Amino acid sequence: MNLTRRQFLRKVGFTTSSAALVGFIESLTMTNALAQTGGQYKALVCVFLNGGNDSNNTIIPLGSGSAPVGGYTAYANERASSGLAIPQANLLPISPASFGTDSFGLHPAFADFTLGSPAVNMAGLATLFNQGRAAVVCNVGPLIRPFFNPANPSQTPRQLYQNGTIPRPQQLFSHSDQISQWQTSISNTNSGTGWGGRAADRTILLNATTSDPQGTRFPMITSVAGAQVYTIGVTTQPLAIPPAPTTLDAALVLNGYGTSAAETARRNAFDYLRSIDQGNVLVKAAQRLTDQALAVDAALNVNPTITTPFPNTGLGNQMLQIARVIKANLTQPALGLNRQIFLCQLGGFDTHQNQLPGQTNLFTQLNQAIGAFYHWLKNNNDPAVGDISSRVTIFTLSDFSRTFNPSGSGSIVGTDHAWGSHQFVVGGAVQGREFYGIPLPTSRGGNGTVFPTLTRGNAYDTDTRGRWIPTVAVDQFGATLATWYGVAPADLPYVFPNIGQFSPTTLGFI
């Protein structure tokens, strides 16, 4: 891929207005990240499930109808007649520690699998959960404040939703708005920055080195899913690169500066121009921006070998590219970032029809991509990298869940837009084999657990279709990850402006 200078800068992610450039440079000294604990490598990998994943067919209770959450019987009673129910015998059993003898089942696509030739056996999400390397955070969604009224504490979330006592997120059930709110953690207004970018703002100096005392020469955030709002901070801008099979050394190529005499002369002139007029703030900003882009290009002028087989799918190739960037970082002394954030994406979850085959295909891609990536983190066999499975945490986000009540029937059966959803968190640092969240007490119509009761029109439901009102805010989910990553408690309100509305601030899953 050959790029013009302008395209090169834009792909690196730093093309912006002159005023913003100046703000970017001048504000780098304002963060208090040096006071935080750093030194060991950590990375967050966000896998966005675009379109709204149906959590009700992701995790299904296997208990009897008397179980607090309703059991498989309640699930089958709602979904079997339309053809949307997954047979109980096909589900992959998991046993969250806090549920005692009550077990659940994951979608059958989350089974163990093999890749490559010779075949490499890899653990799927069900095995990773039962091994304690994966957890589920239940009933998460965008919220402005909890659906609780201290003036009338016995009111249920459903009553508060229907009488309008608690404000709802903007444009609830809208794809674009809910995607934005998951990625920004701000549900009462629009935001041009995301919580991933703002987390990077507050931890950027954890990447400081002797050669780069401000920790800014290589971007902390890399996206293989385009420049989305999640990756944008106030002082942090993302690096956007294509997925595999494009190699890293071909991801950014600045054309016109080769080895011929004319190209060498052009580069010398280019370097000289960047060394003059340093007294002009805007010129200095532009020159520093170009220096940063060139440093990124140099850092990516490698092609790390990844021996772990990855699936040749859209998400598999994105996660393979993330593995390459991590290895390039950890094996280059001149780079050596201590913190990185990544974004990748799998689309197609807007399953209004043909959900069973469609979701099975998507979950197979998700399972194999995360499974291969975790296998590489754990078993990369590179002494320069080693086992970093406890240093990298993978997590899912999605627009929303989908209605428990199906739409359509037969071959076109699907589901409609809903709200609260279940998300996976995977990694060696995860306190796994558990469901996390905020239980709704029985005094407010709940079942006393973090998992919603599977009956329509209950205390969690907005109406009569099974749109579960979240008990966990995106803010709490993100704050748990950000705290592990290195964001100081005092900086959480910067990253999550509404975090003060929610208690507890973090959920303890990592």
Side-chain angles (χ1 to χ4, degrees):
M1 179 194 306
N2 291 327
L3 304 175
T4 67
R5 179 172 178 269
R6 179 180 295 274
Q7 290 169 329
F8 174 69
L9 292 171
R10 182 173 288 116
K11 285 291 287 183
V12 171
F14 297 104
T15 299
T16 183
S17 69
S18 297
L21 272 175
V22 176
F24 167 70
I25 290 173
E26 298 301 329
S27 64
L28 286 174
T29 59
M30 296 176 64
T31 179
N32 65 355
L34 281 179
Q36 301 163 14
T37 301
Q40 287 187 316
Y41 179 78
K42 288 184 178 181
L44 292 172
V45 179
C46 174
V47 183
F48 200 93
L49 310 181
N50 196 291
N53 173 50
D54 178 22
S55 294
N56 295 303
N57 259 21
T58 305
I59 303 165
I60 299 163
L62 296 179
S64 67
S66 61
V69 300
Y72 184 84
T73 301
Y75 164 82
N77 286 344
E78 186 62 48
R79 293 196 156 190
S81 62
S82 66
L84 190 58
I86 300 171
Q88 186 169 5
N90 294 352
L91 296 171
L92 304 172
I94 58 173
S95 298
S98 63
F99 277 78
T101 58
D102 291 326
S103 62
F104 291 76
L106 290 186
H107 191 286
F110 295 132
D112 295 347
F113 59 97
T114 59
L115 289 175
S117 181
V120 177
N121 298 321
M122 298 185 184
L125 281 168
T127 294
L128 290 173
F129 184 95
N130 287 326
Q131 290 176 345
R133 299 282 65 86
V136 171
V137 184
C138 296
N139 203 21
V140 193
L143 290 170
I144 296 173
R145 51 173 286 196
F147 272 74
F148 174 71
N149 181 11
N152 190 352
S154 65
Q155 284 187 304
T156 68
R158 174 184 173 85
Q159 290 169 330
L160 295 170
Y161 175 88
Q162 293 187 341
N163 64 28
T165 301
I166 305 298
R168 305 174 186 177
Q170 289 189 143
Q171 301 297 318
L172 189 59
F173 312 133
S174 154
H175 281 293
S176 59
D177 293 278
Q178 299 308 289
I179 289 171
S180 174
Q181 290 166 31
W182 270 98
Q183 294 192 11
T184 67
S185 83
I186 299 172
S187 299
N188 55 345
T189 188
N190 296 325
S191 174
T193 62
W195 65 264
R198 296 192 299 269
D201 289 346
R202 280 300 185 259
T203 53
I204 194 167
L205 291 187
L206 292 175
N207 283 336
T209 64
T210 302
S211 60
D212 183 17
Q214 290 183 309
T216 59
R217 290 187 68 81
F218 192 92
M220 188 185 296
I221 298 186
T222 300
S223 172
V224 286
Q228 300 191 38
V229 69
Y230 170 80
T231 66
I232 300 170
V234 176
T235 61
T236 302
Q237 298 296 317
L239 167 68
I241 59 174
T246 301
T247 57
L248 284 189
D249 55 359
L252 295 170
V253 178
L254 181 60
N255 60 333
Y257 297 92
T259 58
S260 70
E263 289 173 322
T264 300
R266 184 182 300 119
R267 178 57 186 264
N268 290 338
F270 179 46
D271 290 342
Y272 170 72
L273 288 173
R274 291 187 293 110
S275 69
I276 62 176
D277 293 334
Q278 293 288 321
N280 185 299
V281 174
L282 291 180
V283 171
K284 183 178 180 180
Q287 291 168 348
R288 184 167 175 177
L289 181 70
T290 304
D291 288 344
Q292 191 170 4
L294 292 170
V296 171
D297 177 47
L300 292 182
N301 192 27
V302 294
N303 188 23
T305 300
I306 304 294
T307 57
T308 298
F310 276 71
N312 186 23
T313 61
L315 184 60
N317 284 325
Q318 291 176 62
M319 299 198 80
L320 170 58
Q321 197 75 305
I322 291 172
R324 289 173 175 170
V325 175
I326 291 174
K327 184 172 181 179
N329 171 58
L330 294 180
T331 56
Q332 293 187 84
L335 199 56
L337 279 69
N338 286 319
R339 296 292 188 274
Q340 290 185 285
I341 296 174
F342 297 92
L343 174 68
C344 55
Q345 178 173 275
L346 177 61
F349 285 91
D350 193 19
T351 51
H352 288 280
Q353 58 185 12
N354 298 318
Q355 178 172 303
L356 273 180
Q359 194 179 35
T360 297
N361 175 58
L362 293 169
F363 278 169
T364 299
Q365 294 183 55
L366 177 67
N367 187 58
Q368 291 188 355
I370 290 180
F373 186 75
Y374 183 83
H375 185 90
W376 175 77
L377 294 173
K378 184 91 177 154
N379 308 285
N380 60 74
N381 298 320
D382 190 324
V385 178
D387 179 356
I388 54 172
S389 58
S390 64
R391 301 294 172 194
V392 180
T393 299
I394 310 116
F395 62 96
T396 62
L397 303 180
S398 191
D399 322 19
F400 36 61
S401 185
R402 308 190 74 84
T403 54
F404 188 42
N405 172 239
S407 61
S409 61
S411 63
I412 63 167
V413 67
T415 48
D416 295 326
H417 302 178
W419 195 355
S421 61
H422 311 317
Q423 304 299 334
F424 288 107
V425 186
V426 180
V430 174
Q431 304 299 303
R433 204 173 72 81
E434 186 59 286
F435 287 178
Y436 291 86
I438 306 294
L440 189 67
T442 54
S443 61
R444 297 178 57 218
N447 58 38
T449 81
V450 299
F451 200 89
T453 301
L454 297 185
T455 56
R456 291 189 285 127
N458 67 34
Y460 287 91
D461 196 356
T462 63
D463 46 38
T464 58
R465 297 208 58 198
R467 291 185 168 101
W468 315 132
I469 298 169
T471 48
V472 174
V474 173
D475 314 61
Q476 294 166 293
F477 180 71
T480 310
L481 293 161
T483 299
W484 172 81
Y485 183 72
V487 174
D491 284 331
L492 286 176
Y494 172 89
V495 181
F496 304 96
N498 294 325
I499 193 66
Q501 297 286 341
F502 304 99
S503 180
T505 300
T506 59
L507 303 171
F509 56 77
I510 187 171

